[in-house]
Short mmCIF file of all heavy atoms in Angstrom, two decimals:
data_model
loop_
_atom_site.label_atom_id
_atom_site.label_comp_id
_atom_site.label_asym_id
_atom_site.label_seq_id
_atom_site.Cartn_x
_atom_site.Cartn_y
_atom_site.Cartn_z
N PRO A 1 164.46 155.40 -222.82
CA PRO A 1 165.25 156.35 -222.03
C PRO A 1 164.79 156.51 -220.58
O PRO A 1 165.61 156.53 -219.66
CB PRO A 1 165.10 157.66 -222.80
CG PRO A 1 164.78 157.24 -224.20
CD PRO A 1 163.98 156.00 -224.08
N TYR A 2 163.47 156.64 -220.35
CA TYR A 2 162.98 156.90 -219.00
C TYR A 2 161.99 155.82 -218.57
O TYR A 2 161.17 155.35 -219.36
CB TYR A 2 162.28 158.26 -218.92
CG TYR A 2 163.23 159.42 -218.82
CD1 TYR A 2 163.49 160.21 -219.92
CD2 TYR A 2 163.86 159.74 -217.61
CE1 TYR A 2 164.36 161.30 -219.85
CE2 TYR A 2 164.73 160.81 -217.52
CZ TYR A 2 164.98 161.59 -218.64
OH TYR A 2 165.84 162.66 -218.55
N MET A 3 162.06 155.46 -217.27
CA MET A 3 161.08 154.59 -216.64
C MET A 3 160.47 155.34 -215.46
O MET A 3 161.19 156.02 -214.71
CB MET A 3 161.74 153.33 -216.10
CG MET A 3 162.18 152.33 -217.14
SD MET A 3 163.05 150.96 -216.36
CE MET A 3 164.74 151.40 -216.73
N LEU A 4 159.17 155.19 -215.31
CA LEU A 4 158.47 155.73 -214.14
C LEU A 4 157.91 154.55 -213.35
O LEU A 4 157.02 153.85 -213.84
CB LEU A 4 157.34 156.68 -214.56
CG LEU A 4 157.75 157.90 -215.40
CD1 LEU A 4 156.54 158.76 -215.69
CD2 LEU A 4 158.84 158.71 -214.69
N VAL A 5 158.48 154.31 -212.17
CA VAL A 5 158.02 153.21 -211.32
C VAL A 5 156.97 153.78 -210.37
O VAL A 5 157.25 154.70 -209.59
CB VAL A 5 159.21 152.60 -210.54
CG1 VAL A 5 158.72 151.44 -209.68
CG2 VAL A 5 160.29 152.13 -211.50
N LEU A 6 155.75 153.22 -210.44
CA LEU A 6 154.63 153.78 -209.68
C LEU A 6 154.05 152.75 -208.72
O LEU A 6 153.63 151.66 -209.14
CB LEU A 6 153.52 154.25 -210.64
CG LEU A 6 153.94 155.22 -211.75
CD1 LEU A 6 152.73 155.61 -212.58
CD2 LEU A 6 154.62 156.44 -211.18
N GLY A 7 154.07 153.13 -207.44
CA GLY A 7 153.44 152.31 -206.41
C GLY A 7 152.40 153.12 -205.67
O GLY A 7 152.05 154.24 -206.07
N GLU A 8 151.91 152.57 -204.56
CA GLU A 8 150.88 153.27 -203.80
C GLU A 8 151.40 154.59 -203.24
O GLU A 8 150.67 155.59 -203.20
CB GLU A 8 150.38 152.37 -202.66
CG GLU A 8 149.61 151.14 -203.17
CD GLU A 8 149.07 150.31 -202.03
OE1 GLU A 8 148.36 150.88 -201.17
OE2 GLU A 8 149.36 149.09 -201.99
N LYS A 9 152.67 154.62 -202.81
CA LYS A 9 153.22 155.86 -202.24
C LYS A 9 153.25 156.97 -203.30
O LYS A 9 152.89 158.12 -203.02
CB LYS A 9 154.64 155.61 -201.72
CG LYS A 9 155.25 156.81 -201.00
CD LYS A 9 156.61 156.46 -200.42
CE LYS A 9 157.14 157.58 -199.53
NZ LYS A 9 157.15 158.89 -200.15
N GLU A 10 153.70 156.64 -204.52
CA GLU A 10 153.75 157.64 -205.60
C GLU A 10 152.34 158.16 -205.90
O GLU A 10 152.14 159.36 -206.12
CB GLU A 10 154.37 157.04 -206.87
CG GLU A 10 155.88 156.88 -206.84
CD GLU A 10 156.34 155.72 -205.97
OE1 GLU A 10 155.55 154.74 -205.82
OE2 GLU A 10 157.47 155.77 -205.44
N ALA A 11 151.36 157.23 -205.90
CA ALA A 11 149.98 157.64 -206.18
C ALA A 11 149.46 158.57 -205.10
O ALA A 11 148.79 159.57 -205.37
CB ALA A 11 149.10 156.41 -206.31
N THR A 12 149.78 158.24 -203.85
CA THR A 12 149.33 159.07 -202.72
C THR A 12 149.96 160.45 -202.76
O THR A 12 149.30 161.48 -202.54
CB THR A 12 149.67 158.38 -201.38
OG1 THR A 12 149.05 157.09 -201.35
CG2 THR A 12 149.20 159.22 -200.20
N ASP A 13 151.28 160.49 -203.07
CA ASP A 13 152.02 161.77 -203.07
C ASP A 13 151.91 162.52 -204.40
O ASP A 13 152.45 163.62 -204.54
CB ASP A 13 153.50 161.51 -202.77
CG ASP A 13 153.72 160.94 -201.38
OD1 ASP A 13 152.79 161.04 -200.56
OD2 ASP A 13 154.80 160.36 -201.14
N ASN A 14 151.24 161.91 -205.38
CA ASN A 14 151.12 162.50 -206.72
C ASN A 14 152.51 162.76 -207.33
O ASN A 14 152.76 163.82 -207.91
CB ASN A 14 150.31 163.80 -206.67
CG ASN A 14 149.59 164.06 -207.98
OD1 ASN A 14 149.20 163.14 -208.68
ND2 ASN A 14 149.44 165.33 -208.33
N LYS A 15 153.38 161.75 -207.20
CA LYS A 15 154.74 161.85 -207.72
C LYS A 15 155.04 160.66 -208.63
O LYS A 15 154.24 159.72 -208.74
CB LYS A 15 155.76 161.91 -206.58
CG LYS A 15 155.74 163.19 -205.76
CD LYS A 15 156.80 163.19 -204.68
CE LYS A 15 156.81 164.47 -203.87
NZ LYS A 15 157.20 165.64 -204.66
N VAL A 16 156.24 160.68 -209.23
CA VAL A 16 156.71 159.56 -210.03
C VAL A 16 158.15 159.26 -209.63
O VAL A 16 158.95 160.18 -209.40
CB VAL A 16 156.64 159.85 -211.54
CG1 VAL A 16 155.19 159.91 -212.01
CG2 VAL A 16 157.35 161.14 -211.91
N ALA A 17 158.47 157.96 -209.51
CA ALA A 17 159.85 157.55 -209.22
C ALA A 17 160.55 157.34 -210.56
O ALA A 17 160.14 156.49 -211.36
CB ALA A 17 159.86 156.26 -208.41
N VAL A 18 161.60 158.13 -210.82
CA VAL A 18 162.21 158.21 -212.15
C VAL A 18 163.50 157.41 -212.22
O VAL A 18 164.36 157.52 -211.35
CB VAL A 18 162.48 159.68 -212.52
CG1 VAL A 18 163.04 159.77 -213.95
CG2 VAL A 18 161.23 160.52 -212.39
N ARG A 19 163.62 156.61 -213.27
CA ARG A 19 164.87 155.92 -213.59
C ARG A 19 165.28 156.32 -215.00
O ARG A 19 164.45 156.40 -215.90
CB ARG A 19 164.72 154.40 -213.50
CG ARG A 19 164.51 153.87 -212.11
CD ARG A 19 164.36 152.35 -212.12
NE ARG A 19 165.56 151.69 -212.58
CZ ARG A 19 166.56 151.31 -211.77
NH1 ARG A 19 166.47 151.52 -210.46
NH2 ARG A 19 167.63 150.72 -212.26
N ARG A 20 166.58 156.57 -215.21
CA ARG A 20 167.10 156.96 -216.54
C ARG A 20 167.94 155.84 -217.09
O ARG A 20 168.74 155.23 -216.37
CB ARG A 20 167.95 158.25 -216.42
CG ARG A 20 168.47 158.79 -217.76
CD ARG A 20 167.33 159.27 -218.64
NE ARG A 20 167.77 160.10 -219.75
CZ ARG A 20 168.03 159.64 -220.98
NH1 ARG A 20 167.94 158.35 -221.26
NH2 ARG A 20 168.36 160.48 -221.95
N GLN A 21 167.75 155.54 -218.37
CA GLN A 21 168.52 154.50 -219.05
C GLN A 21 170.01 154.67 -218.77
O GLN A 21 170.58 155.75 -218.96
CB GLN A 21 168.27 154.59 -220.56
CG GLN A 21 169.21 153.80 -221.42
CD GLN A 21 168.93 152.32 -221.41
OE1 GLN A 21 169.86 151.53 -221.34
NE2 GLN A 21 167.68 151.92 -221.45
N ALA A 22 170.64 153.62 -218.27
CA ALA A 22 172.09 153.55 -218.00
C ALA A 22 172.55 154.43 -216.84
O ALA A 22 173.73 154.42 -216.50
CB ALA A 22 172.89 153.89 -219.25
N LYS A 23 171.63 155.19 -216.21
CA LYS A 23 172.03 156.04 -215.08
C LYS A 23 171.41 155.58 -213.77
O LYS A 23 171.90 155.92 -212.69
CB LYS A 23 171.64 157.50 -215.35
CG LYS A 23 172.50 158.19 -216.39
CD LYS A 23 172.14 159.66 -216.48
CE LYS A 23 173.06 160.38 -217.47
NZ LYS A 23 172.73 161.83 -217.59
N GLY A 24 170.31 154.86 -213.87
CA GLY A 24 169.68 154.36 -212.66
C GLY A 24 168.67 155.32 -212.06
O GLY A 24 168.08 156.16 -212.75
N ASP A 25 168.50 155.22 -210.75
CA ASP A 25 167.44 155.93 -210.02
C ASP A 25 167.74 157.42 -209.92
O ASP A 25 168.80 157.83 -209.44
CB ASP A 25 167.31 155.31 -208.63
CG ASP A 25 166.06 155.76 -207.90
OD1 ASP A 25 165.32 156.58 -208.46
OD2 ASP A 25 165.84 155.29 -206.78
N LEU A 26 166.81 158.27 -210.36
CA LEU A 26 166.94 159.73 -210.22
C LEU A 26 166.07 160.27 -209.08
O LEU A 26 166.04 161.48 -208.86
CB LEU A 26 166.55 160.43 -211.53
CG LEU A 26 167.36 160.07 -212.78
CD1 LEU A 26 166.91 160.95 -213.96
CD2 LEU A 26 168.85 160.21 -212.56
N GLY A 27 165.33 159.37 -208.40
CA GLY A 27 164.52 159.80 -207.27
C GLY A 27 163.10 160.17 -207.67
O GLY A 27 162.71 160.10 -208.83
N ALA A 28 162.31 160.57 -206.65
CA ALA A 28 160.90 160.92 -206.87
C ALA A 28 160.79 162.37 -207.33
O ALA A 28 161.54 163.24 -206.89
CB ALA A 28 160.11 160.70 -205.59
N MET A 29 159.83 162.62 -208.22
CA MET A 29 159.59 163.97 -208.74
C MET A 29 158.09 164.20 -208.85
O MET A 29 157.31 163.26 -209.03
CB MET A 29 160.18 164.15 -210.14
CG MET A 29 161.67 163.99 -210.27
SD MET A 29 162.17 164.28 -211.99
CE MET A 29 163.90 163.77 -211.91
N ASP A 30 157.71 165.49 -208.80
CA ASP A 30 156.35 165.85 -209.19
C ASP A 30 156.20 165.57 -210.68
O ASP A 30 157.17 165.64 -211.45
CB ASP A 30 156.09 167.35 -208.95
CG ASP A 30 156.07 167.68 -207.46
OD1 ASP A 30 155.72 166.79 -206.66
OD2 ASP A 30 156.43 168.82 -207.12
N ILE A 31 154.98 165.28 -211.10
CA ILE A 31 154.76 164.98 -212.52
C ILE A 31 155.16 166.17 -213.39
O ILE A 31 155.81 166.02 -214.43
CB ILE A 31 153.28 164.60 -212.76
CG1 ILE A 31 152.94 163.33 -211.99
CG2 ILE A 31 153.03 164.38 -214.26
CD1 ILE A 31 151.48 162.94 -212.06
N ASP A 32 154.80 167.37 -212.96
CA ASP A 32 155.15 168.57 -213.73
C ASP A 32 156.66 168.74 -213.84
O ASP A 32 157.18 169.17 -214.87
CB ASP A 32 154.53 169.82 -213.10
CG ASP A 32 153.02 169.87 -213.27
OD1 ASP A 32 152.51 169.11 -214.11
OD2 ASP A 32 152.36 170.64 -212.55
N GLN A 33 157.35 168.39 -212.75
CA GLN A 33 158.82 168.49 -212.75
C GLN A 33 159.43 167.51 -213.75
O GLN A 33 160.36 167.85 -214.49
CB GLN A 33 159.35 168.19 -211.34
CG GLN A 33 160.85 168.34 -211.19
CD GLN A 33 161.33 167.95 -209.79
OE1 GLN A 33 160.53 167.61 -208.90
NE2 GLN A 33 162.63 167.99 -209.58
N PHE A 34 158.88 166.29 -213.81
CA PHE A 34 159.38 165.30 -214.76
C PHE A 34 159.09 165.73 -216.19
O PHE A 34 159.95 165.62 -217.08
CB PHE A 34 158.75 163.93 -214.48
CG PHE A 34 159.11 162.90 -215.51
CD1 PHE A 34 160.40 162.40 -215.60
CD2 PHE A 34 158.16 162.46 -216.42
CE1 PHE A 34 160.73 161.46 -216.57
CE2 PHE A 34 158.48 161.52 -217.39
CZ PHE A 34 159.78 161.02 -217.46
N ILE A 35 157.90 166.24 -216.44
CA ILE A 35 157.54 166.71 -217.79
C ILE A 35 158.49 167.80 -218.23
O ILE A 35 158.98 167.81 -219.38
CB ILE A 35 156.07 167.20 -217.82
CG1 ILE A 35 155.12 166.00 -217.70
CG2 ILE A 35 155.79 167.99 -219.10
CD1 ILE A 35 153.66 166.38 -217.53
N ALA A 36 158.81 168.73 -217.33
CA ALA A 36 159.74 169.82 -217.66
C ALA A 36 161.13 169.27 -217.98
O ALA A 36 161.81 169.76 -218.89
CB ALA A 36 159.81 170.82 -216.51
N LEU A 37 161.55 168.23 -217.23
CA LEU A 37 162.86 167.61 -217.46
C LEU A 37 162.93 167.02 -218.87
O LEU A 37 163.90 167.23 -219.61
CB LEU A 37 163.09 166.52 -216.41
CG LEU A 37 164.34 165.63 -216.59
CD1 LEU A 37 165.60 166.44 -216.31
CD2 LEU A 37 164.27 164.41 -215.69
N VAL A 38 161.90 166.28 -219.24
CA VAL A 38 161.87 165.64 -220.56
C VAL A 38 161.81 166.70 -221.66
O VAL A 38 162.55 166.62 -222.65
CB VAL A 38 160.67 164.68 -220.66
CG1 VAL A 38 160.53 164.16 -222.09
CG2 VAL A 38 160.85 163.51 -219.70
N GLN A 39 160.97 167.68 -221.49
CA GLN A 39 160.81 168.71 -222.53
C GLN A 39 162.08 169.51 -222.73
O GLN A 39 162.43 169.88 -223.86
CB GLN A 39 159.64 169.63 -222.18
CG GLN A 39 158.28 168.94 -222.31
CD GLN A 39 157.13 169.83 -221.90
OE1 GLN A 39 157.29 170.77 -221.11
NE2 GLN A 39 155.95 169.55 -222.42
#
């Protein structure tokens, strides 16, 4: 369902680039924000 694409920018900003199955790119999020979305 979810992919987190992580590069140097995401590591520096402490974020995750989120992709959703069949929906594509959802943009960058804080890790806590992504966890809340999934939960």
Side-chain angles (χ1 to χ4, degrees):
Y2 281 103
M3 287 176 258
L4 301 182
V5 181
L6 306 182
E8 293 183 53
K9 186 176 188 308
E10 284 75 28
T12 302
D13 296 343
N14 209 32
K15 291 182 179 294
V16 290
V18 183
R19 292 179 64 90
R20 183 66 165 94
Q21 167 75 222
K23 287 186 177 180
D25 192 358
L26 301 185
M29 298 182 189
D30 292 331
I31 298 175
D32 289 344
Q33 183 184 357
F34 174 70
I35 289 172
L37 173 70
V38 172
Q39 289 178 335

